[in-house]
Amino acid sequence: MMAQANVGVQELERRAAEVRLQIVRAMGAGKFHHFGGSLSATDLLVALYFHALRYRADEPDWPGRDRFVLSKGHAVPALYVCLARCGFFSEEELTTLKQFGSNLQGHPDMRKTCGLEANTGSLGMGLSVANGIALAGRSKGLDYRVYALLGDGECQEGQVWEAAMTSANYALDTLTVLVDRNELQAMGPTEERMRVEPLAEKWRSFGWEAVEIDGHDMQAICDALSRAKTVKDRPTAIVARTVKGKGVSFMEGRSGFHNVMVTEDQLREAIEGLEARVAELGGAS
Ligand SMILES: Cc1ncc(C[n+]2csc(CCOP(=O)(O)OP(=O)(O)O)c2C)c(N)n1
């Protein structure tokens, strides 16, 4: 299956609502999961997998496929839902999330999960991997694009900036970084723990094209991804302002829902809210 480039913005919004519901259902109650950072990144992942990326789910190793590296690997439940919906594996498998022996572990393992391009979870490393993939594409004469999704707390890792310098040095214009700028890391606001602003300005100063957008505005995400494809001789960073825990009212903007075990009551409340949103947008729950 190829990426569905003709999927309109309204349909993407509907799918994002359904994906959020599937994430929370798959996580369930009574087990630790990275709720906040999975829900903040959902719209970005939906825009990538249902609009921007070129791939063949029935031929996952197709050399011409675009590559996506989830550098903030702890948000992988959101990626699993997108991969399942795209046909890389069955949606029923989502019920095995983080179970012993499951193909869907708490951090990405490309040896286990169809559709993954890299093992991540140790923060700071994904952009270096993406650089290597982009350089390999160039040396092989393949025209695929490479995307990496980073957390804003992750941008405190020194390796991110070594990699950013490298991407610009090699003029990797096939490379696009998305930063999930939800303003929170594990233990509180980024600007209190270790300031990352001015973030877009930092990417520019490293030789990147950089734009700031609302990371929950599907049109803005699609536009930024399209624009990135037209930039020549330098990579593009899309700093996407998001809300941690987006879609679950009692999680939104709260650092206490970074990696948590929710109760049955909290799960029910979360699912009811997400189902209402899906119904509002005319989706299927
Ligand atoms: C090198 C490394 N240090 C610490 C961790 C533990 N950890 C997992 S998620 C996280 C917070 C990351 O914050 P951010 O990048 O802002 O992610 P988000 O808020 O989007 O979930 C931390 C410290 C890790 N995975 N890797």
Side-chain angles (χ1 to χ4, degrees), residues 232-252:
K232 296 286 166 231
D233 301 324
R234 60 192 185 282
T236 294
I238 299 170
V239 178
R241 287 185 304 275
T242 59
V243 175
K244 200 153 174 171
K246 177 74 176 175
V248 176
S249 57
F250 63 87
M251 293 185 186
E252 287 191 354

Side-chain angles (χ1 to χ4, degrees), residues 8-9 25 40 70 91 93 100 111 114 137 185-186 205 218 252 272:
V9 164
R25 279 195 180 138
S40 61
L70 182 67
E91 292 187 54
E93 214 172 324
F100 188 68
R111 296 165 308 173
C114 184
Q185 53 192 93
S205 74
M218 201 55 87
E252 287 191 354
E272 278 170 13

Side-chain angles (χ1 to χ4, degrees), residues 40 152-153 180-185 188-193 196-197 240-244 255:
S40 61
D152 48 5
D180 183 356
R181 181 74 180 105
N182 59 31
E183 297 187 13
L184 295 173
Q185 53 192 93
T190 57
E191 300 313 275
E192 286 175 20
R193 309 298 299 183
V196 295
E197 290 295 341
R241 287 185 304 275
T242 59
V243 175
K244 200 153 174 171
S255 66

Side-chain angles (χ1 to χ4, degrees), residues 39-119:
L39 294 167
S40 61
T42 298
D43 296 301
L44 302 173
L45 290 167
V46 166
L48 284 167
Y49 276 88
F50 299 103
H51 174 78
L53 288 182
R54 191 172 65 173
Y55 54 83
R56 295 176 183 166
D58 56 359
E59 193 189 344
D61 295 332
W62 174 46
R65 72 194 185 281
D66 291 335
R67 271 70 163 175
F68 173 68
V69 176
L70 182 67
S71 191
K72 46 167 277 183
H74 58 280
V76 75
L79 178 56
Y80 289 150
V81 174
C82 291
L83 290 173
R85 291 180 64 117
C86 291
F88 285 94
F89 50 86
S90 81
E91 292 187 54
E92 287 85 75
E93 214 172 324
L94 295 170
T95 59
T96 71
L97 175 64
K98 242 182 142 181
Q99 285 174 9
F100 188 68
S102 162
N103 288 331
L104 310 182
Q105 289 302 309
H107 291 84
D109 184 344
M110 64 188 288
R111 296 165 308 173
K112 281 188 166 285
T113 314
C114 184
L116 293 182
E117 301 288 352
N119 289 9

Side-chain angles (χ1 to χ4, degrees), residues 152-158 160-161 185 190 193-196:
D152 48 5
E154 184 181 9
C155 290
Q156 296 158 348
E157 292 281 355
V160 169
W161 301 104
Q185 53 192 93
T190 57
R193 309 298 299 183
M194 171 90 87
R195 197 167 58 246
V196 295

Side-chain angles (χ1 to χ4, degrees), residues 14-25:
R14 193 164 28 243
R15 288 185 194 183
E18 292 172 355
V19 167
R20 284 195 169 88
L21 177 57
Q22 286 178 286
I23 293 167
V24 171
R25 279 195 180 138

